[in-house]
């Protein structure tokens, strides 16, 4: 059965880049009728925070990316210890004692000689006595996985056929000096034991994938299908990494972006299919195909989220927004009329409050000098409220008769006097909502 996972480290809130990973894994699982696991990669106790775990769940729930199961790596440390023992017994795990400074020096030397900065495996040549001496002097070492120096090949779901020479990669450290198991090992053990069949993640993980394939094979697991999506850039192709903090999902939510707008954009961005606004998750699931995505960096422009949000809102029935309309203070008997008038004139639901303030308190009128007398004359003809759907027609007819004005010269000054704006919703529909006409007070 198809099983995917989204595996964030709870060291921060989710941002737009994480969402791309989460969404692709979610859609693959749902399309196949499989399982989507939320895996919290919290092996680093110093940087992992419960607050972030909660934030991650809130964001995924907001988006409707529901998971079938939650796993936490911190609950599974014994499994990783077991896998470590196995690798040790197999002779694929070795202790190394170089300090970060020593490793740095080695790398610099290699680079100076024009060689790739790959760990030289000096620790493998240590005798038992040398190891004991180092341990006595420096404490525990780190544990490295001994790669098999062969080519590592896989058919990537996005990048196509990949082949990496294991000799060009350093033996990965899987356990730190303080005993902390690192993501590379934990992830492999989890993917294997949880039956993960498909892993989609960012292309910054390609080298990890190469080493993980060998670790999975060493542990007797089944290698999942891998796909590495390109990284997102800003609209001009600039790196997004520095700005990702401002592209946190919680901030986009605060700014009024609608989940389906966000998901519709991200389910297509970087693929050969056009972005289409979907109003239901089922539509996104049906239309998703990972093979349509390309390997080139993908440009993301947050401004694209707002027209999509506006279009999404435009299609919503009153029931879907009734709570928000009530919250801004619109009386229930005016809610339907209010939504009819505002739905085409908002970008996010935050704009509802402004419209209601305008209708409730009246707008500061905008009256051009040459229209002063005309507007005064017209307002004198305005009947007392409450207004209804016919008020605009009967009033403007009366104004036309009294002043001889017609067309734009008649309507525009009245719109501006009543709403303070030169464009906006149909005035016949606005009138029943107007609680106050400021220009008259
Ligand atoms: N915790 C890892 C990360 O956030 C997971 C990568 C993976 O999907 O394997 O980068």
């Amino acid at each position: 059965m198809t099983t995917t996972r989204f595996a964030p480290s709870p060291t921060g809130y989710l941002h737009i880049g994480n969402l791309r990973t989460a969404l692709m894994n979610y859609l693959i699982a749902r399309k196949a009728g499989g399982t989507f696991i939320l895996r919290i990669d919290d092996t680093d106790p110093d940087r992992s925070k419960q607050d972030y775990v909660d934030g991650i769940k809130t964001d995924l729930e907001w988006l409707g990316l529901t998971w079938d199961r939650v796993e936490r790596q911190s609950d599974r440390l014994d499994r990783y210890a077991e896998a470590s023992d196995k690798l040790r017994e197999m002779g694929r795990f070795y202790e190394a004692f170089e300090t970060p400074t020593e490793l740095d020096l080695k790398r610099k030397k290699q680079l100076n000689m024009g060689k790739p900065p790959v760990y030289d495996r000096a620790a493998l040549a240590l005798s038992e006595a040398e190891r004991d001496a180092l341990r006595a002097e420096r404490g525990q070492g780190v544990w490295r996985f001994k790669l098999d120096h062969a080519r590592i090949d896989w058919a990537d779901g996005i990048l196509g056929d990949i082949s990496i020479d294991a000799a060009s990669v350093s033996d990965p450290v899987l356990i730190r000096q303080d005993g902390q198991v690192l993501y590379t090992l934990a992830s492999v053990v989890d993917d294997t034991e949880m039956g993960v069949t498909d892993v989609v993640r960012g292309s910054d993980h390609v080298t990890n994938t190469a080493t993980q394939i060998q670790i999975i094979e060493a542990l007797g697991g089944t290698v999942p299908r891998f796909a590495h999506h390109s990284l997102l850039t800003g609209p001009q192709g600039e790196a997004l990494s520095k700005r990702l903090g401002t592209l946190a999902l919680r901030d986009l939510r605060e700014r009024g972006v609608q989940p389906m707008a966000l998901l519709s954009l991200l389910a297509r961005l970087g693929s050969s299919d056009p972005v289409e606004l979907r109003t239901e998750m089922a539509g996104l699931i049906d239309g998703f195909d990972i093979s349509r995505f390309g390997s080139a960096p993908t440009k993301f422009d947050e401004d694209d989220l707002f027209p999509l949000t506006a279009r999404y809102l435009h299609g919503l029935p009153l029931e879907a927004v009734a709570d928000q309309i009530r919250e801004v203070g619109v009386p229930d008997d005016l809610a339907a009329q209010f939504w009819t008038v505002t739905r085409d004139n908002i970008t996010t639901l935050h704009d509802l409050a402004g419209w209601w303030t305008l209708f409730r308190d009246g707008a500061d009128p905008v009256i051009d000098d040459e229209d002063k007398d005309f507007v005064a004359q017209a307002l004198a003809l305005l009947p007392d409220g409450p207004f209804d759907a016919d008020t605009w027609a009967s009033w403007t007819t009366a104004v036309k008769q009294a002043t001889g004005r017609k067309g734009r010269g008649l309507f525009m000054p009245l719109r501006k006097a009543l709403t303070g704006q030169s464009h906006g919703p149909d005035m016949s529909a606005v009138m029943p909502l107007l609680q106050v006409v400021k220009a008259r007070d």
Side-chain angles (χ1 to χ4, degrees), residues 5-9 18 21 25 39-41 73 183 187 191 199-202 204-205 208 212 226:
R5 75 331 188 255
F6 173 49
S9 306
N18 304 129
T21 309
N25 285 294
R39 193 183 81 199
I40 304 294
D41 281 4
Q73 291 195 325
Y183 147 79
S187 185
D191 289 341
V199 173
V200 183
R201 54 191 176 195
D204 50 334
H205 281 291
N208 274 342
Q212 287 186 351
F226 285 102

Side-chain angles (χ1 to χ4, degrees), residues 199-418:
V199 173
V200 183
R201 54 191 176 195
S203 48
D204 50 334
H205 281 291
V206 166
T207 310
N208 274 342
T209 297
T211 58
Q212 287 186 351
I213 286 174
Q214 281 207 0
I215 305 170
I216 295 169
E217 284 169 343
L219 291 172
T222 308
V223 177
R225 280 181 291 272
F226 285 102
H228 295 83
H229 59 70
S230 64
L231 298 185
L232 293 179
T233 70
Q236 261 71 54
E238 72 276 22
L240 214 50
S241 47
K242 279 165 254 112
R243 291 191 43 241
L244 282 176
T246 63
L247 291 172
L249 301 187
R250 61 208 315 262
D251 294 329
L252 295 175
R253 174 165 70 241
E254 286 287 302
R255 288 164 65 191
V257 170
Q258 284 289 319
M260 286 312 295
L262 189 51
L263 297 177
S264 296
L265 183 65
L266 282 197
R268 286 291 171 82
L269 208 61
S271 82
S272 45
D273 295 317
V275 174
E276 282 173 297
L277 176 68
R278 304 285 191 169
T279 53
E280 304 283 346
M281 194 67 89
L284 278 187
I285 295 168
D286 285 348
F288 183 73
D289 181 354
I290 190 107
S291 70
R292 310 284 291 169
F293 285 80
S295 57
T298 300
K299 288 186 179 145
F300 167 76
D301 188 346
E302 64 195 279
D303 290 345
D304 293 341
L305 293 169
F306 293 94
L308 283 169
T309 292
R311 270 175 53 211
Y312 175 79
L313 293 175
H314 170 74
L316 288 184
L318 173 64
E319 305 86 76
V321 287
D323 287 347
Q324 286 88 344
I325 288 179
R326 196 170 296 129
E327 258 165 45
V328 301
V330 179
D332 283 353
D333 58 332
L334 292 181
Q337 181 72 7
F338 180 76
W339 184 233
T340 305
V341 167
T342 53
R343 64 195 299 170
D344 297 344
N345 291 282
I346 55 173
T347 304
T348 73
L349 290 175
H350 294 319
D351 298 335
L352 291 178
W355 281 108
W356 179 242
T357 306
L358 187 147
F359 297 145
R360 186 195 56 208
D361 301 342
D364 289 331
V366 172
I367 304 170
D368 297 338
D369 281 347
E370 67 270 24
D371 292 326
K372 270 204 175 114
D373 293 343
F374 164 72
V375 170
Q377 210 181 340
L379 289 176
L381 292 169
L382 185 63
D384 288 336
F387 305 133
D388 61 27
D390 298 325
T391 306
W392 179 253
S394 54
W395 178 46
T396 52
T397 305
V399 174
K400 184 177 173 182
Q401 275 164 11
T403 65
R405 285 218 197 186
K406 51 184 195 240
R408 199 180 147 80
L410 167 69
F411 299 117
M412 186 54 83
L414 299 181
R415 171 186 286 281
K416 280 165 39 179
L418 263 45

Side-chain angles (χ1 to χ4, degrees), residues 95-109:
E95 202 173 3
F97 297 90
E98 288 90 347
T99 64
T101 321
E102 284 167 347
L103 288 173
D104 210 37
L105 205 67
K106 284 187 187 200
R107 271 193 293 268
K108 281 191 182 127
K109 273 191 191 155

